[in-house]
Structure formats: C-alpha cells, structure tokens
Amino acid sequence: MSVLRILVGWMVFYTTLIWGMRLEAFFNVDGFNSMEMINKNLLTNEGPFAMSFWYWVPEAWVYPVHYLSLAITFCFMIGLYTRVTSILSLIVVISYAYRARYANYGLDQINAILTLYLCIAPSGTYLSVDRWLKKRRSPDGVLPIVQPTLATNIATRMTQLHYCVIYLAAGMGKLFGDTWWDGSAMWRGFANAEYQSFDLTWLAYFQPITEMITHTTVAWELSFAFLIWRPLARPIILLMGAGMHFGIGLFMGMWTFGFCMMFGYVTFLDPIKFKHVLEYFCRTSFGMSSLENQDSLTETSRKHNTKSPLPADYHQGVLSDRDPETSQKTIRDLKKQGYETAGH
C-alpha cells in the first residue's frame, strides 16, 4: 500500500497540476461548467452529496486554493503527514471532479477510488518522509520492523474487490452492445479518428484479428473477478490486463487512465515477495542495505538486552537471508564495521 501511495499520489498530483493549466475556465463561476449549470443539473440529478469545496471558493481565491491543493497532493505522494494529507487529497480529488463534472472521465474516478482506500491503510508507515523523520528522531537511528495491520488488510482487500466489480460491470455492460457480439467494437474504436495515436485503419484488412481482440476483451473482463483469486491464473490475468491498458494508452492516447488502472494491480501481488524484489532493487540500484534486516537486528537487540546480564552497549541479533550471495555480502559488511559474525 505504500508503493501504491507513491504511484497514486503522483497521479493525483499530476492531474491536479493539469487542471491548473485552464484553472479559470474550469473553476470560475462563469467558466465551462458555470454554477448555473452545476445547480441545475449536477445537484438536481446527483443530489446534495455531490459536494465540492470549489462551490464556495471566491474568484479571488481560485489560485491560492489550487496551489494549496497541489501542496497537499505532493505531501501525500512523498508520505509527509500521510494520515492527514491522504484524507485531504481525497477531498481534493472529489472536489475537482465534481466542480468540473462534465470535463472529467474514468481517470478521476479511479483516482478517487484508490485514494479512498489509501486513507484507510497506514500507507505512510513505509517508503515515506514520515518514516524517515521518525527514524531521525529515534535515539539509535533505526526503527522496528513495520508490522501488518488490520487496516492494511481491509484496504487491500477492498481495492481488489472494487477492481473485480469494475471489470465485471464493464464486461456485463458490453453484453448489451451489438458490436461486442458481432466483433466489430474494437475496430470501431481503432477507426475513431478522435482517439487515434496511430493510423490503424489498415486493420480493416484483418477482420479476424479485430474480432478476436473484441471477444477476448469481453471474456477477460467477465472472468477477471473469478480467475484473479487462483494463484496459477493470476499472473496471466494481470499480464492481459496490463497489456490491454498499455494498448489503450499507446493506440488511443489514454496513458494516464491506463497507468492508474495498472497501479491498482499492485494490491494483487504477494506483499512479501514484492518487498523482497523492492529491497533487491534498492540494493542493486542504490547500494542500500536491507531495511528489514536493520530493523530486525535492532528489535532483536532491544528484546535481548532487557533481561540480559551483558553490558548495556552489547548488542546481538539474528539476520535471516536465504540468498547465499546477499547473506555473504551482509556478513562482509558487518565485519568491516567491526561486528563479530557467525554466518552459516
């Protein structure tokens, strides 16, 4: 969830920044979505809970409020005061989307969905400025290992279930369209000049390919909610989804929507294996040692010293690493720093 916070936080910050390119047109009283239209259509059709703080922002305060929103979403991305900035970022996402209700699309909805679940999880306890500051305040400069929490489990599972609902609803909705039955839906999308990033009209000569893509898309969306829970099928389902969203970005120009949908796939990965891959990447790319091992060593030392007759400055701990190469490197590093080691 901490990795998801970085990815979604970046997307939320980016979309907020993009809104600012036409800020007056979108959020002023007489802009594209005037308050008259908002009051007449949005509040009438969607009810009083379709709220946005932009409804009460005076014209002179439009830019200051926008800059404050940028600061909030940036702090959320880097994990600064995450518990507060995650909730404020959710308010920012919803407020921007409802104020420019007729100028947003699926990206804003996915941003809101993922940010909501990141508000539930303690997504700032790892890979964040909050943890870095907490580590600096610690007397020995090392923090105990981050423990699993019920809130993280709930947020992860809710994200997974929400994705199942999204894809199942999308697949069932396609069953009501004739073009998805006759296989011409994907061709119509490729031939739409409004969304073309590349000229794909040559696919008209390969009708079986476009029909196969059409039927495969429907089958994948309908089966996602059922096959994603099977360990053997999960990698295939996720790779097909990543390929579909990457294709949407490449051929139809919807990069932000495609990436944001793929960000949610992080919650379907094994957290332990994902953490090991992340730590291996940090070690090989930045020369960072394993935070997990450092934290485990300190935590074990503290527990050991509470009832030990050894001197107060004596520390001992156990490091567990199944990789012979990295374990030997850890032993060598500890010896260079003057520690006594008993490696196996």
Side-chain angles (χ1 to χ4, degrees), residues 141-207:
V142 181
L143 295 176
I145 183 176
V146 176
Q147 299 292 339
T149 63
L150 178 62
T152 303
N153 194 35
I154 292 174
T156 303
R157 192 66 74 200
M158 289 301 296
T159 305
Q160 295 171 339
L161 292 174
H162 209 137
Y163 264 62
C164 291
V165 172
I166 289 172
Y167 286 129
L168 185 61
M172 294 180 66
K174 289 178 173 60
L175 296 179
F176 290 94
D178 294 336
T179 57
W180 291 97
W181 285 99
D182 61 27
S184 64
M186 294 305 296
W187 160 247
R188 292 172 182 268
F190 291 144
N192 189 339
E194 182 180 358
Y195 293 104
Q196 278 188 1
S197 298
F198 299 95
D199 183 10
L200 298 175
T201 54
W202 55 270
L203 286 173
Y205 299 101
F206 301 93
Q207 184 177 350

Side-chain angles (χ1 to χ4, degrees), residues 96-241:
Y96 275 72
Y98 270 126
R99 181 60 183 88
R101 185 65 176 85
Y102 305 103
N104 57 47
Y105 69 116
L107 170 64
D108 303 277
Q109 299 171 14
I110 300 301
N111 273 342
I113 290 170
L114 295 179
T115 306
L116 169 64
Y117 298 131
L118 288 169
C119 291
I120 299 174
S123 56
T125 55
Y126 198 64
L127 300 174
S128 64
V129 176
D130 286 340
R131 183 163 177 81
W132 177 75
L133 292 174
K134 192 174 181 181
K135 182 178 179 180
R136 295 216 34 190
R137 299 189 193 104
S138 177
D140 51 11
V142 181
L143 295 176
I145 183 176
V146 176
Q147 299 292 339
T149 63
L150 178 62
T152 303
N153 194 35
I154 292 174
T156 303
R157 192 66 74 200
M158 289 301 296
T159 305
Q160 295 171 339
L161 292 174
H162 209 137
Y163 264 62
C164 291
V165 172
I166 289 172
Y167 286 129
L168 185 61
M172 294 180 66
K174 289 178 173 60
L175 296 179
F176 290 94
D178 294 336
T179 57
W180 291 97
W181 285 99
D182 61 27
S184 64
M186 294 305 296
W187 160 247
R188 292 172 182 268
F190 291 144
N192 189 339
E194 182 180 358
Y195 293 104
Q196 278 188 1
S197 298
F198 299 95
D199 183 10
L200 298 175
T201 54
W202 55 270
L203 286 173
Y205 299 101
F206 301 93
Q207 184 177 350
I209 295 180
T210 57
E211 291 180 352
M212 180 188 68
I213 296 175
T214 300
H215 297 310
T216 301
T217 300
V218 177
W220 175 81
E221 289 182 337
L222 291 174
S223 62
F224 182 95
F226 307 100
L227 296 181
I228 194 63
W229 307 110
R230 311 303 302 172
L232 293 178
R234 185 176 301 155
I236 300 174
I237 294 296
L238 293 179
L239 286 174
M240 290 180 65

